[in-house]
Amino acid sequence: MESGPAIFAGVVFTLFGGGLLAWTVVRVQQGESVAHGVNRVASATLASVAGSGALALGMWCFTRV
C-alpha cells in the first residue's frame, strides 16, 4: 500500500526529467535558447541541471519501493 505513492512520484519525476532533457537537447541542436529571452548557455545549463535532478529524484523514489 505504501509503495503506490513512491511509484507514482517516481514515474512523474522520471517523465518530467526525461522530457525536459529531451526538450533541451532539441533546442540546443537547433541553435535556439531553451527559455524565451534568456541567454542560450544559461538556459541550457539550468534546464540540464533541473532535468538531471528530476531524473535522480525519480530513481531515488523507485529505490524506496
Side-chain angles (χ1 to χ4, degrees), residues 6-64:
I7 293 171
F8 177 75
V11 167
V12 169
F13 281 123
T14 303
L15 287 175
F16 174 74
L20 185 59
L21 286 175
W23 171 259
T24 303
V25 167
V26 168
R27 296 294 286 189
V28 168
Q29 285 179 346
Q30 292 176 350
E32 299 178 13
S33 66
V34 178
H36 180 69
V38 182
N39 184 1
R40 272 191 254 164
V41 175
S43 63
T45 302
L46 185 61
S48 297
V49 169
S52 298
L55 279 176
L57 192 56
M59 293 299 120
W60 179 79
C61 288
F62 286 134
T63 64
R64 300 295 168 206

